[in-house]
Amino acid sequence: MVPPGPPPLAFLGLLLVWGLLVPGAPGQKFPVRVEPPELVVPAGGSLVVNCSSECPEPVNFSLETPFSKDTLGKGRGWATFRLSNVTSDHKLLCSSYCLGSQEAGAANVTVFAFPDRVDLAPLPPWLPVGDNFTLSCRVTGGTPRANLVVVLLRGKEELHRQQLAEEGVTVVVEASRKDHGVNFSCLTELDLRPHGLGVFQNLSAPQQLRTFVLPSTPPELFVPRLLEVGTLDLVGCILDGLFPASEAELQLALGGQWLSPAVWKHGDHLRASAEVTALDGQEGTLEVLCRVTLAGRNLETRVNTTIYSFWGPNLTLSELSALEGTTINVTCAAGPQVQVFLDGVPAAAPGQPAWLQIHTTEEDDGRLILCNATLDVGGELLHRNRSVQLRVLYGPTIDPAQCPPRVTWKDKTTNVLHCQARGNPDPKLGCFQEVSGREVPIGAPFFVNMSYNGTYFCRATNLLGTYNLKVVMDVQDRNLSSVTTVLVIFVLLGLLVLTASSLYVFCFHRHTDSYQVMPLMSREPKEAARDVAS
């Protein structure tokens, strides 16, 4: 038998055409499709995968995966599987046999997970302005890491953005005033938009930062150098350049005892004042403390004050009102170590009282008795005075110099009778006419006529007696004076006329007798005298 020879070329060509045109011809490829080709699933979740092929005779669809799977269904050219508890990224391989050869298709499974924890490391409770601090964000879990970004926030302000590397992100920041009271936080963003999903965020718990500024100088403390027992005074404290002053605490203490200050806060300024009262038994040196506390740090100032006791001086008189001639005992005393002076005379020694005796006279009425006290406190001399006015009681008197014993007035004129009396108590003074008992005003103008002429008694009276002074009031008639003046004028005129007449007669006789001189002179003296007389 002759072996068959090679097929003719025409036959081979027909075979090739048949292989290309007829499905399932030897040499034709029918790949396996996996849907969906990109699978995104949350960690631990499940997904459905569909494998299919256009092979005319596909057999034995299988899915290679490390995860649990169930076949949901199958048919000619397809099979559907459910994968459960998918925990990691993986490449799925789906295969089948087609006309005796194995075909396969692949799909990528991407597992995503939100971070288990996003923690911002605790910040220091207080931080000086200008110091650096570290923001450290630690992220536990979260996948895929290539799609995970960490953002550090100051409030809502973005400070730093970085793809997560290893377990956390760290950045160094300089503290400023604007950081005080601000919340810092850490934000993670899982960007799954390339996989057809959105951006998922996780935010850490906020951490508040508190910044502060302390001045280089301590508080200024205002304290009285001396403080007297039982008196009220003020102490004050001021501090500038303090931030934040609103959160600072200020304390004031006297001798270890805390006070209750009133505190004012404004901007970077802090001020306080408190009332202080020293008590008995605190005499000596006491310390006043001002303490400002901020951010757990103290700024202090201490100043000493001297507590002293200075009572008195006490000025006592055995009698404040005494009769003239009484002996008054005066005492001036003050506290220990106080030097007293009574009317300028010092006591025997500091702390001792001063004594004085007064034998009262009228001149002592209204006398001011003065007690001075001096205390040396820490080299500073303190002075106090006390005075008492002495009252001496004495009977009334009228000084003639203040009440003239005789006054001369004209009739029908206005005059004032001036008269004063003294005595303690002040005497009552009145002037009365001796005969009629008529009272005349004292110290006030009144109209005087002839009826006021006469003798008056001015009487001063108080509780201790009566004093009388006689006053003569001489009222002269104005008409009598005029007549007298006229008479005087007439008399003077008469004398003038008489004198002129006498001179005339004398001159006339001398002229007429000049021719008889010789005969007359020759007569006897008796005859001459007789002729002259005739």
Side-chain angles (χ1 to χ4, degrees):
M1 183 172 186
V2 178
L9 290 176
F11 176 76
L12 291 176
L14 289 175
L15 184 62
L16 179 59
V17 172
W18 178 81
L20 292 174
L21 297 178
V22 177
Q28 186 177 0
K29 298 294 186 181
F30 296 95
V32 175
R33 293 190 303 273
V34 181
E35 294 178 342
E38 292 290 336
L39 300 171
V40 180
V41 60
S46 60
L47 56 85
V48 174
V49 180
N50 184 59
C51 297
S52 64
S53 175
E54 294 183 357
C55 177
E57 295 293 338
V59 293
N60 295 333
F61 278 102
S62 65
L63 181 65
E64 296 182 11
T65 176
F67 309 120
S68 299
K69 65 179 178 180
D70 296 311
T71 302
L72 296 181
K74 61 176 59 178
R76 182 178 179 83
W78 64 272
T80 301
F81 304 92
R82 180 194 297 275
L83 303 184
S84 303
N85 196 23
V86 179
T87 57
S88 62
D89 294 350
H90 191 70
K91 187 173 183 178
L92 299 179
L93 186 63
C94 185
S95 63
S96 69
Y97 286 92
C98 179
L99 302 177
S101 64
Q102 188 177 22
E103 300 292 341
N108 293 320
V109 176
T110 301
V111 174
F112 70 91
F114 303 135
D116 298 325
R117 292 183 62 88
V118 180
D119 296 311
L120 185 66
L123 298 176
W126 287 95
L127 195 64
V129 170
D131 282 13
N132 291 333
F133 65 100
T134 300
L135 290 175
S136 180
C137 181
R138 183 175 181 83
V139 180
T140 303
T143 190
R145 286 297 177 100
N147 297 63
L148 193 59
V149 173
V150 176
V151 183
L152 296 174
L153 299 175
R154 175 197 281 126
K156 295 182 179 180
E157 176 191 358
E158 186 175 308
L159 290 178
H160 182 75
R161 174 181 289 268
Q162 178 182 330
Q163 183 177 348
L164 181 62
E166 299 180 354
E167 296 298 324
V169 173
T170 299
V171 65
V172 176
V173 182
E174 181 180 340
S176 65
R177 287 190 175 215
K178 69 178 182 179
D179 293 328
H180 177 70
V182 173
N183 286 327
F184 289 80
S185 58
C186 177
L187 175 71
T188 59
E189 294 182 347
L190 184 61
D191 189 359
L192 298 179
R193 287 175 296 181
H195 302 287
L197 301 176
V199 178
F200 300 91
Q201 295 180 333
N202 286 71
L203 185 66
S204 70
Q207 298 285 337
Q208 188 181 65
L209 181 64
R210 303 168 80 188
T211 61
F212 69 94
V213 176
L214 291 180
S216 58
T217 57
E220 189 174 5
L221 184 56
F222 300 91
V223 178
R225 197 175 74 85
L226 305 177
L227 187 59
E228 184 179 2
V229 169
T231 61
L232 183 67
D233 214 325
L234 287 176
V235 296
C237 187
I238 295 176
L239 184 60
D240 286 317
L242 184 70
F243 174 81
S246 59
E247 297 191 32
E249 180 183 356
L250 189 147
Q251 295 172 299
L252 285 171
L254 171 65
Q257 299 295 319
W258 295 112
L259 305 175
S260 299
V263 181
W264 296 267
K265 301 175 182 180
H266 180 71
D268 291 355
H269 180 79
L270 184 64
R271 176 168 59 95
S273 64
E275 294 180 344
V276 292
T277 302
L279 304 177
D280 284 330
Q282 290 184 317
E283 290 85 354
T285 300
L286 288 184
E287 181 184 76
V288 180
L289 166 68
C290 177
R291 174 183 295 162
V292 176
T293 303
L294 180 66
R297 306 184 187 189
N298 294 329
L299 292 175
E300 294 183 354
T301 300
R302 301 171 185 265
V303 174
N304 289 335
T305 185
T306 300
I307 308 298
Y308 68 94
S309 179
F310 189 2
W311 57 267
N314 292 336
L315 183 59
T316 57
L317 280 70
S318 58
E319 295 182 60
L320 290 177
S321 296
L323 292 174
E324 184 179 13
T326 304
T327 298
I328 302 294
N329 294 316
V330 183
T331 304
C332 179
Q337 302 179 353
V338 179
Q339 178 67 60
V340 295
F341 297 79
L342 183 56
D343 270 4
V345 179
Q352 296 296 319
W355 306 86
L356 177 65
Q357 273 193 344
I358 300 175
H359 300 284
T360 59
T361 65
E362 178 183 332
E363 287 72 20
D364 290 320
D365 184 36
R367 174 178 173 178
L368 193 66
I369 302 173
L370 182 64
C371 177
N372 306 96
T374 302
L375 176 64
D376 186 344
V377 181
E380 183 173 341
L381 294 180
L382 305 179
H383 303 277
R384 287 188 180 169
N385 301 320
R386 182 76 181 275
S387 63
V388 173
Q389 192 171 40
L390 179 62
R391 187 184 184 202
V392 178
L393 305 177
Y394 58 94
T397 59
I398 302 176
D399 188 353
Q402 303 293 329
C403 195
R406 187 179 189 87
V407 294
T408 302
W409 291 329
K410 301 294 183 182
D411 182 30
K412 298 179 181 179
T413 59
T414 299
N415 296 278
V416 178
L417 177 61
H418 296 285
C419 193
Q420 295 182 4
R422 67 178 185 275
N424 191 15
D426 291 334
K428 180 180 180 182
L429 180 62
C431 291
F432 305 89
Q433 195 174 44
E434 182 181 22
V435 177
S436 67
R438 179 183 190 176
E439 184 177 7
V440 296
I442 298 174
F446 67 100
F447 185 75
V448 176
N449 56 35
M450 293 299 297
S451 66
Y452 282 90
N453 193 54
T455 300
Y456 291 79
F457 286 98
C458 291
R459 182 179 301 113
T461 303
N462 68 7
L463 295 176
L464 300 180
T466 301
Y467 186 91
N468 292 308
L469 178 68
K470 186 170 72 172
V471 176
V472 176
M473 192 180 299
D474 184 10
V475 181
Q476 298 180 353
D477 189 348
R478 296 180 63 182
N479 294 329
L480 179 61
S481 299
S482 301
V483 172
T484 301
T485 303
V486 172
L487 289 176
V488 170
I489 292 173
F490 281 129
V491 169
L492 290 177
L493 289 174
L495 289 175
L496 182 61
V497 170
L498 182 60
T499 302
S501 300
S502 298
L503 288 175
Y504 173 78
V505 171
F506 174 75
C507 292
F508 176 77
H509 280 282
R510 185 175 179 185
H511 177 70
T512 57
D513 291 344
S514 61
Y515 303 103
Q516 302 177 8
V517 171
M518 292 303 294
L520 286 174
M521 293 183 63
S522 66
R523 296 180 183 180
E524 291 294 332
K526 292 183 180 178
E527 295 178 356
R530 187 170 50 251
D531 290 338
V532 171
S534 63

